[in-house]
Amino acid sequence: MTHSINKCSANETAACCCVDVGTIMDNTDCTASWSQLCDDRQQAETRLNQLTDKARQVESEPCIINSRFTEEADGVRLDIDFTFSCQAETMIFQLGLR
């Protein structure tokens, strides 16, 4: 079973490898994307429910959750986009999955 979640990139200053907080938290990246290859549809749906519960614990306003199931040779691919109302919630959600 493999999975991934998108990672943010920020511009570092050359002088000290420091990052300005405004570079990280500018509220433009409010979506976390998840992709996982599951053995079957039931496992994919179970994982979707688990991740949805985690998102609901973080949200201050309803998180928009778009999921897709794709049949592949090795199983069922689950792709999910979680769009939160602010970037801080997105980061909290991502950190909670690590």
Side-chain angles (χ1 to χ4, degrees):
M1 188 180 330
T2 61
H3 63 276
S4 63
I5 191 134
N6 69 339
K7 299 187 181 349
C8 299
S9 62
N11 295 327
E12 296 180 352
T13 60
C16 66
C17 296
C18 299
V19 178
D20 179 58
V21 173
T23 302
I24 298 171
M25 302 286 291
D26 62 0
N27 238 19
T28 59
D29 186 13
C30 296
T31 301
S33 297
W34 178 273
S35 183
Q36 180 174 357
L37 182 61
C38 300
D39 294 334
D40 53 34
R41 176 73 181 231
Q42 181 179 1
Q43 185 183 43
E45 288 177 359
T46 298
R47 190 63 176 144
L48 172 61
N49 291 334
Q50 292 170 338
L51 292 170
T52 297
D53 289 343
K54 286 184 177 283
R56 298 293 179 225
Q57 293 171 11
V58 172
E59 67 186 2
S60 62
E61 295 180 21
C63 176
I64 299 168
I65 302 172
N66 293 314
S67 60
R68 296 165 304 285
F69 299 92
T70 307
E71 297 288 333
E72 294 186 6
D74 296 338
V76 176
R77 173 141 324 262
L78 170 61
D79 293 300
I80 318 169
D81 293 324
F82 299 91
T83 303
F84 292 89
S85 62
C86 68
Q87 189 171 3
E89 292 175 355
T90 306
M91 291 178 70
I92 292 166
F93 176 72
Q94 290 171 320
L95 291 170
L97 296 178
R98 292 177 183 222

